[in-house]
Amino acid sequence: MNLDTFQWAKVVASLAMPVSPVLLLLICGTVLLWWGRARRLALALVTTGTVLLLLFTLPGTARWLGGPLEHAYPPLTVPPPAPWVVVLGGGALDDPALPPPSRLRAHSLARLAEGVRQFQLQPAAKLIVSGGAPDSTPESVTSADAMAELAVAWGVPEDAIWRSRDALNTEQEARAVARWVPPEEKVILVTSALHMPRALALFRQHGINAVPAPAGPYWTPGLGRAHWGDRLPGAEPLYVLEISWWERLGAWWQGDTP
């Protein structure tokens, strides 16, 4: 996938997110109302958009769509012996002025923490950190670079870390790992729990003997449970809904059904 194709795929996928049709309905309805034409149609569009927005921001909707993905695989507390631990990237800030923990986005930081924990449970493993960035240069700070630097700060020997800094998506990450890891060798695969079903399917499609080690942040266990206020609409359920929808779209695209 070249860079232009990658960018267009991101645009198309973004338009398929739940927020996009809601915005389209509200914008079209508002324009019609101000134009003074087709008032009934305008009210129908605004009402439909408002109802959908309410539905998409409810914690129960996020739990319904994301829960089965997030809990498809339990945490790997006692891993089997494996010579490789692979941590998939979740985004980083290309800003060398920031300290290593601040460069990593929340998903990358949580994945790396679990990856280092899994690495410490393996006597002679290699740690593969993955994740590139569009338009990156040799001087750019990618997810792989930021994770590698932080892993060294956390005690991982630098010569035990392999970087895959050119992969722009999960399939490219799986291809890179497949080039390095012999098919008969086991891999502890670390990524976010919501992302794990799709990532594991892709890695196994590429002939990698992967063992799932899901990482946080975990979203669905506490959504709408702890307090009555947590049952109200909010931005966090909408964020979880969009991640879950993205994962299901990706699984559908690669021929998998979560």
Side-chain angles (χ1 to χ4, degrees):
M1 178 185 292
N2 60 42
L3 187 57
D4 288 341
T5 304
F6 173 79
Q7 299 287 19
W8 276 110
K10 287 284 188 181
V11 170
V12 172
S14 296
L15 292 175
M17 290 294 100
V19 169
S20 297
V22 169
L23 287 176
L24 182 62
L25 288 168
L26 293 176
I27 290 170
C28 290
T30 302
V31 169
L32 288 175
L33 282 174
W34 279 94
W35 191 28
R37 303 289 182 88
R39 183 174 177 80
R40 283 195 166 191
L41 176 60
L43 289 173
L45 293 175
V46 171
T47 301
T48 303
T50 303
V51 170
L52 286 176
L53 182 61
L54 175 62
L55 179 65
F56 292 161
T57 54
L58 287 174
T61 307
R63 283 202 312 274
W64 169 74
L65 193 65
L69 299 178
E70 192 167 79
H71 301 288
Y73 300 97
L76 187 63
T77 54
V78 183
W84 302 89
V85 176
V86 176
V87 182
L88 302 188
L93 299 174
D94 186 5
D95 187 353
L98 293 174
S102 299
R103 294 182 200 172
L104 290 174
R105 298 195 182 277
H107 292 281
S108 291
L109 191 60
R111 294 174 187 182
L112 180 63
E114 177 62 19
V116 170
R117 188 184 77 85
Q118 293 292 337
F119 173 84
Q120 292 170 343
L121 296 174
Q122 305 293 339
K126 295 289 186 182
L127 178 68
I128 298 177
V129 289
S130 182
D135 301 318
S136 64
T137 66
E139 292 75 31
S140 300
V141 178
T142 66
S143 291
D145 297 324
M147 286 195 291
E149 186 173 351
L150 186 55
V152 171
W154 285 350
V156 178
E158 192 165 359
D159 59 1
I161 300 174
W162 293 27
R163 306 186 191 194
S164 175
R165 66 187 312 274
D166 297 322
L168 297 179
N169 55 39
T170 309
E171 184 172 6
Q172 291 181 12
E173 290 177 313
R175 288 177 181 173
V177 172
R179 288 194 298 267
W180 291 341
V181 177
E184 67 276 6
E185 293 188 0
K186 194 166 292 183
V187 166
I188 304 297
L189 178 62
V190 181
T191 189
S192 303
L194 267 169
H195 181 48
M196 182 59 76
R198 184 165 66 92
L200 186 64
L202 274 172
F203 270 64
R204 288 176 175 173
Q205 284 175 17
H206 284 80
I208 301 168
N209 183 13
V211 177
Y218 280 87
W219 301 102
T220 61
L223 281 178
R225 290 185 187 176
H227 186 265
W228 68 267
D230 295 329
R231 300 177 185 272
L232 299 176
E236 184 175 290
L238 180 59
Y239 174 69
V240 177
L241 179 73
E242 293 234 316
I243 298 175
S244 305
W245 184 245
W246 176 275
E247 291 300 325
R248 290 183 179 275
L249 278 179
W252 171 79
W253 181 256
Q254 70 193 44
D256 216 21
T257 305

